[in-house]
Amino acid sequence: MTPTQGLARGMIVEDTGGPLKAPVGKAVLSRMFDVFGNAIDREPAVSGVKWRSVHNAPPPLMRRSTRSEVFETGIKVIDILAPLERGGKAGLFGGAGVGKTVLLTEMINNMVGQNAGVSIFCGIGERCREGEELYDAMKQAGVLPNMVMLFGQMNEPPGARFRVGHAALTMAEYFRDEEHRDVLLLVDNIFRFIQAGMEVSGLMGQMPSRLGYQPTMGTELSGLQERIANTDTGAITSIQAVYVPADDFTDPAAVHTFSHLSASIVLSRKRASEGLFPAVDPLQSSSKMATPGVVGERHYRLAREIRRTLAQYDELKDIIAMLGLEQLSPEDRNVVARARRLERFLTQPFFTTEQFTGLTGKLVSLEDALNGCERILRDEFKDYPESALYMIGAIDEAKTSSQSEHAI
């Protein structure tokens, strides 16, 4: 849990007489903590809080609520193809450098303002710099009064990284059960929790299982994920970044995490290399919410048609690479034109990357996003250049950007 430098035999050890505890109460809002509940934001220590054990059982099935409701993010590709569930668990899967943290911070930016409840950000084993930047960004945006941050970053020992997720959940459960508020729990990165468990397991001399992972990985992950649940008093909606080692989605850590989620958003290195950001893979990403009973018949039909068009384009890519676009039938050429325009339209400039891209961030409502896709599929934009649909918000911006290009 803490560095071991300076420890020696014969030193006096004090027994606290209890488990690891986390502070809970209204006083934790707008503060930043480590795994022990110490404030790390250079402000005075918190007062007027209760201390609770970080080890709690998940709520029993009788107390859980089963209402299905969509949680809008304002990001077109997610809201259309992999809608998130209010009170559900969503994972952002991707290898190194494809945009998991950027997408997570954009979601925080879009949701924390709209979210009337409490937001809890838990940094597990990631960069300290990102934590500090997030704190400053939230302070400037004025949303810190409804936010709590906990960090056990990559410079901490494995015990601290392994338990900081439990501390964050203890706070989330307090706000859900005692204050009856909805909680948005953001975790970056759940793979580092598994990795910390692997290090602890190695230090304890346990026999490793597949690929060197700890034999208890499934149980440890379930112990954390099952506590993220909706009850009759409130909901905990969780969005988790999941690092995929070497882009291998068959890795045991990724496979175990997939099974706990209601929405899986897969980020693709190929799309990132083509400059299509957010680099969400529309064919691999999925959500349990994408059924006619939850999102409605029109949304479901459109999402299926978008996926079908993009899948057909994917199959035709080999033929295009070998023979060229001219060898395709007129119908196939139309499919390619639609798919390429859809790909461009599903990109979006982010608020959190304004300083790098020079483009103003856009928040797009689900209705605008669906309208845009429907109009592209009806070939309304076949005479517009593909670039007119790249990095825009609502579809009508394509017309203005295209007109300005003609004027130039």
Side-chain angles (χ1 to χ4, degrees), residues 104-175:
L104 193 66
T105 45
E106 181 68 11
M107 285 184 173
I108 295 169
N109 182 73
N110 292 359
M111 292 177 185
V112 169
Q114 309 166 12
N115 184 37
V118 176
S119 302
I120 297 178
F121 182 88
C122 178
I124 309 179
E126 284 293 316
R127 301 167 190 82
C128 308
R129 168 183 60 78
E130 288 169 354
E132 207 256 343
E133 283 173 3
L134 181 70
Y135 181 77
D136 290 341
M138 296 299 110
K139 205 168 186 175
Q140 280 172 3
V143 293
L144 216 49
N146 275 329
M147 201 162 182
V148 190
M149 294 187 189
L150 285 98
F151 290 103
Q153 297 298 60
M154 56 171 65
N155 57 321
E156 306 269 338
R161 286 177 274 135
F162 187 59
R163 286 287 177 235
V164 73
H166 297 90
L169 267 168
T170 305
M171 291 185 184
E173 286 164 344
Y174 165 81
F175 285 112

Side-chain angles (χ1 to χ4, degrees), residues 5-143:
Q5 286 111 338
L7 285 182
R9 274 171 102 172
M11 288 177 86
I12 294 170
V13 176
E14 193 182 321
D15 183 2
T16 59
L20 183 64
K21 292 187 175 175
V24 296
K26 282 190 174 155
V28 301
L29 290 170
S30 83
R31 302 301 301 271
M32 195 196 277
F33 298 97
D34 65 6
V35 67
F36 298 105
N38 303 321
I40 51 170
D41 50 8
R42 296 184 183 160
E43 303 273 329
V46 285
S47 55
V49 291
K50 296 181 209 151
W51 290 81
R52 280 201 185 156
S53 163
V54 299
H55 308 285
N56 290 313
L61 287 171
M62 281 176 67
R63 279 193 56 217
R64 299 200 181 195
S65 102
T66 52
R67 198 175 70 249
S68 290
E69 198 182 325
V70 171
F71 194 62
E72 271 191 48
T73 62
I75 298 167
K76 290 181 283 198
V77 65
I78 294 174
D79 287 344
I80 294 174
L81 297 174
L84 307 190
E85 179 185 7
R86 184 176 294 283
K89 295 187 271 269
L92 310 176
F93 290 82
V98 290
K100 293 183 299 297
T101 302
V102 171
L103 191 54
L104 193 66
T105 45
E106 181 68 11
M107 285 184 173
I108 295 169
N109 182 73
N110 292 359
M111 292 177 185
V112 169
Q114 309 166 12
N115 184 37
V118 176
S119 302
I120 297 178
F121 182 88
C122 178
I124 309 179
E126 284 293 316
R127 301 167 190 82
C128 308
R129 168 183 60 78
E130 288 169 354
E132 207 256 343
E133 283 173 3
L134 181 70
Y135 181 77
D136 290 341
M138 296 299 110
K139 205 168 186 175
Q140 280 172 3
V143 293

